[in-house]
Amino acid sequence: MKPGIYVVATPIGNLGDMSPRAAEVLSAADVIACEDTRVTRKLFGLLGLDAKKDFITFQDHNEEEQAGFLIDLVGRGKVVAQVSDAGSPLISDPGYKLIRRCREQGVYVSVIPGACALICALQLSGLPTNRFMFAGFIPNKDKARRDLFNQLKGIEATLIFYETANRIVKTLSAAAEVFGCREIAVAREITKVYEECLNGTAAELIKHFEEKEPRGEMVLMIAPPQKKEAPEIDLQELLRFELRQYPLKTAVKNLVERYGLNKNEVYQTALRVKDE
């Protein structure tokens, strides 16, 4: 196998989702860079892979330091497999700084695809998939959570977040304040025995989780805002009414603000109406 960094996806719950190619790369790698060596060694055991190799801790707090070390290993002819505790590495997990440095230095990088919680959840949700935005983990603090939601609420795409079971009700309460009655989906235990995806308003989902204790890692998805249809109006008739009460500029301003119309078009129409 060619020396380099191999970004390897691992199962998010169901061992059957481990691809033969991913298992082959992990088996052949000289070094395994992982978030938690205990978790990854356990995975090797469950998959029946030989764990007699170097397992190196690769986390947010040591990524800068370890990136240089891993690149040096590749320079010495080693095959390095990078994994996260579950799912596709780099998705709200450490790794992008390593890959960026590899790209800058011409170090070989390959990706072995597999399970990714946000994609699986979106497929389950029934929410629009043509355009979506993944915003990572939701902040723990109330103000930061609301600020994030307010920052994203106008984006015309399905919003996707990772959240924990013990915070889901608080997060849904904040979502109710910011997103109102927009459809929301919460997926949990993806690929596992108790996999489920619940859809409803924030208030409906809060009621569900108050009655049934939330468990497991969760993916929260929020539908895009509804597009407002342009109102059907008789512009000339509206202008005649406004011009009987206000000067031309004021009449134009009133209609532009009230109906979200193009100012120049309304102004030109108002001139014609006034000259009738």
Side-chain angles (χ1 to χ4, degrees):
M1 185 177 290
K2 183 177 180 178
I5 303 291
Y6 292 77
V7 182
V8 183
T10 56
I12 57 176
N14 191 318
L15 283 176
D17 294 331
M18 187 75 179
S19 74
R21 182 177 171 222
E24 181 183 352
V25 170
L26 292 184
S27 181
D30 301 300
V31 176
I32 309 296
C34 50
E35 291 180 88
D36 188 327
T37 59
R38 295 165 300 179
V39 171
T40 305
R41 284 183 185 276
K42 181 180 179 181
L43 175 65
F44 268 61
L46 292 171
L47 295 171
L49 300 177
D50 182 9
K52 293 179 181 178
K53 55 184 75 222
D54 291 332
F55 287 77
I56 296 175
T57 303
F58 184 71
Q59 301 171 335
D60 285 325
H61 72 273
N62 70 357
E63 183 174 355
E64 289 283 0
E65 177 187 347
Q66 293 289 58
F69 177 64
L70 294 173
I71 289 173
D72 288 342
L73 288 176
V74 174
R76 299 203 295 269
K78 300 294 185 181
V79 173
V80 177
Q82 189 217 333
V83 300
S84 60
D85 284 347
S88 296
L90 282 73
I91 309 302
S92 277
D93 284 327
Y96 91 88
K97 294 176 184 176
L98 167 62
I99 303 307
R100 186 174 185 85
R101 287 178 63 173
C102 288
R103 304 290 296 177
E104 292 170 350
Q105 298 178 34
V107 176
Y108 178 73
V109 177
S110 183
V111 174
I112 292 77
C116 180
L118 76 94
I119 298 299
C120 294
L122 182 61
Q123 292 169 322
L124 283 171
S125 71
L127 297 181
T129 59
N130 59 313
R131 190 177 184 203
F132 60 90
M133 176 182 174
F134 175 58
F137 285 96
I138 295 173
N140 187 27
K141 302 293 185 181
D142 292 341
K143 183 179 184 305
R145 187 187 293 116
R146 285 193 300 272
D147 287 347
L148 175 64
F149 285 168
N150 278 308
Q151 178 186 351
L152 301 178
K153 68 179 180 180
I155 294 177
E156 294 183 358
T158 298
L159 303 176
I160 307 175
F161 308 88
Y162 286 162
E163 186 54 290
T164 58
N166 63 317
R167 295 206 304 254
I168 191 64
V169 171
K170 278 189 175 182
T171 293
L172 287 169
S173 297
E177 294 177 20
V178 176
F179 297 104
C181 291
R182 268 198 229 179
E183 184 180 1
I184 293 177
V186 175
R188 57 180 292 275
E189 297 292 273
I190 299 171
T191 77
K192 301 178 184 179
V193 174
Y194 298 107
E195 172 184 279
E196 68 175 353
C197 186
L198 305 165
N199 290 56
T201 64
E204 290 169 341
L205 293 175
I206 289 170
K207 182 180 179 182
H208 171 85
F209 288 121
E210 286 178 341
E211 295 174 353
K212 186 177 180 180
E213 182 183 0
R215 295 179 183 275
E217 298 299 318
M218 298 185 165
V219 182
L220 172 71
M221 296 155 284
I222 301 173
Q226 293 286 335
K227 290 186 178 180
K228 295 180 180 179
E229 295 184 1
E232 294 184 7
I233 61 173
D234 185 334
L235 180 57
Q236 292 188 14
E237 187 60 35
L238 288 171
L239 282 167
R240 292 187 187 99
F241 178 77
E242 291 289 325
L243 289 170
R244 286 197 293 269
Q245 305 176 69
Y246 305 104
L248 186 142
K249 287 186 177 180
T250 302
V252 170
K253 181 175 180 292
N254 289 344
L255 294 184
V256 167
E257 292 180 352
R258 190 179 306 153
Y259 296 102
L261 303 174
N262 180 282
K263 182 178 180 180
N264 187 55
E265 291 180 3
V266 176
Y267 184 77
Q268 294 302 321
T269 304
L271 290 177
R272 292 196 298 272
V273 170
K274 187 177 181 182
D275 291 338
E276 289 178 346

